[in-house]
Amino acid sequence: MKIAGAPISWGVCEVPGWGRVLDPGTVLNDMAALGLRATELGPPDYLPSDPDALKALLDEHGLALVGGFLAVPLHTGDKSTVDEADRVAALLAAAGAEVLVLAAATGLDGYDERPALTDDEWRTLIDTAALVRDRAAGHGLRTVLHPHVGTHVERTAEVERFLADSDLPLCLDTGHLLIGGTDPVDLARRFPERIGHVHLKDVRADVAATVRAGDLGYTAAVQQRMYVPLGDGDVDVAALVAFLRDAGYTGWYVLEQDTALGDDSPLDTPVRDTARSLAHLTQFTA
């Protein structure tokens, strides 16, 4: 397995006011200490936006770059969306990454509100995703669409509609899919040829259900530890990994435990949680 880390496991998120943001040196040191050899980029401009500086920082910690997450409004038709994707894709490619992980943002701050789209806006979303894919391909990158809570591709019907209307592969994010009402193992079994990237998460299904019902906001749910180390929640990680292996998936598995750190949060929580996730994976992948 090709296993990578991600800054979100250390509480580093693009949402304003999300929580305490640890400095890059701490995060990358922790990843390297755990034996990880690759990472995703994290929020735009968290790590250096100059390719040479980015590569130097990653090299210092013995880490390669897998790709990066980019949440932008795809439904507006605004040229700035494609331009921003092009900028991020150029940086990723120059630093040796493979994949742009795209999400259909609402344009609002955070992931707690999600206005409905018209059919015309949905068609624009599909067309813009294709434009982003083409720009990224020009830099030698693959693009995958990430179903994500609080975006316009979240619930099962939206995931299936996207798969029907677009030819982009998916980032199979086990946590966000389950929160949105989709069994990630079932989705992988039904659409194995559309799995282009994997974010491994585990979540507590009881808390996820309150988010899905609208009784608890996403940010508050993360603060209440909806995400837990692999094996401590309700995602069947072992079944998913076994199926993907048998189906011929050879891509990355990115460990992501969405975390929000308070001012008083123990700073070793992210590294301890990620270590637990790695230990769980080792039980059935060693």
Side-chain angles (χ1 to χ4, degrees):
M1 290 180 70
K2 298 190 297 184
I3 302 172
I8 186 61
S9 298
W10 276 258
V12 182
C13 183
E14 69 279 0
V15 176
W18 179 263
R20 183 175 182 180
V21 178
L22 301 180
D23 66 275
T26 296
V27 173
L28 299 180
N29 272 332
D30 282 353
M31 288 187 188
L34 289 167
L36 295 172
R37 293 294 173 258
T39 181
E40 284 198 2
L41 185 65
D45 303 320
Y46 171 66
L47 296 181
S49 55
D50 174 77
D52 291 336
L54 176 58
K55 285 190 289 186
L57 179 62
L58 294 173
D59 287 347
E60 179 184 337
H61 297 277
L63 294 168
L65 187 64
V66 173
F69 174 72
L70 179 67
V72 286
L74 301 175
H75 62 285
T76 63
D78 193 324
K79 180 178 180 294
S80 64
T81 292
V82 179
D83 289 343
E84 173 64 3
D86 186 76
R87 182 187 76 84
V88 173
L91 171 63
L92 291 170
E98 303 173 16
V99 59
L100 176 66
V101 183
L102 182 67
T106 62
L108 305 174
D109 284 341
Y111 299 109
D112 292 332
E113 297 181 63
R114 202 172 69 104
L117 292 185
T118 66
D119 286 342
D120 284 345
E121 288 174 323
W122 177 265
R123 282 190 288 270
T124 300
L125 183 156
I126 296 298
D127 291 344
T128 306
L131 290 173
V132 169
R133 173 204 61 205
D134 293 346
R135 288 286 189 96
H139 296 287
L141 294 182
R142 297 181 295 110
T143 300
V144 293
L145 191 283
H146 185 334
H148 192 291
V149 175
T151 72
H152 290 303
V153 184
E154 171 190 329
R155 301 298 178 99
T156 303
E158 295 155 359
V159 174
E160 293 179 349
R161 186 180 183 186
F162 185 86
L163 286 168
D165 293 348
S166 171
D167 61 1
L168 266 71
L170 294 181
C171 170
L172 186 79
D173 186 298
T174 56
H176 282 279
L177 284 167
L178 190 146
I179 298 165
T182 301
D183 179 342
V185 180
D186 177 67
L187 184 72
R189 287 172 174 158
R190 289 191 293 131
F191 300 99
E193 74 285 356
R194 301 296 295 275
I195 308 306
H197 194 52
V198 176
H199 285 175
L200 280 182
K201 291 181 169 74
D202 209 346
V203 297
R204 294 162 51 199
D206 57 340
V207 182
T210 66
V211 175
R212 193 160 55 250
D215 297 329
L216 183 66
Y218 180 71
T219 303
V222 175
Q223 293 169 345
Q224 293 182 24
R225 297 275 292 180
M226 174 171 60
Y227 291 95
V228 291
L230 299 183
D232 289 355
D234 295 289
V235 174
D236 194 342
V237 177
L240 177 73
V241 171
F243 173 79
L244 291 176
R245 181 187 60 232
D246 292 345
Y249 177 77
T250 58
W252 286 95
Y253 294 84
V254 181
L255 292 179
E256 284 196 340
Q257 181 181 330
D258 288 21
T259 299
L261 296 176
D263 291 338
D264 298 325
S265 298
L267 297 186
D268 64 344
T269 297
V271 72
R272 286 191 290 107
D273 282 354
T274 305
R276 283 177 60 84
S277 291
L278 283 166
H280 181 71
L281 274 180
T282 301
Q283 293 179 19
F284 50 85
T285 59

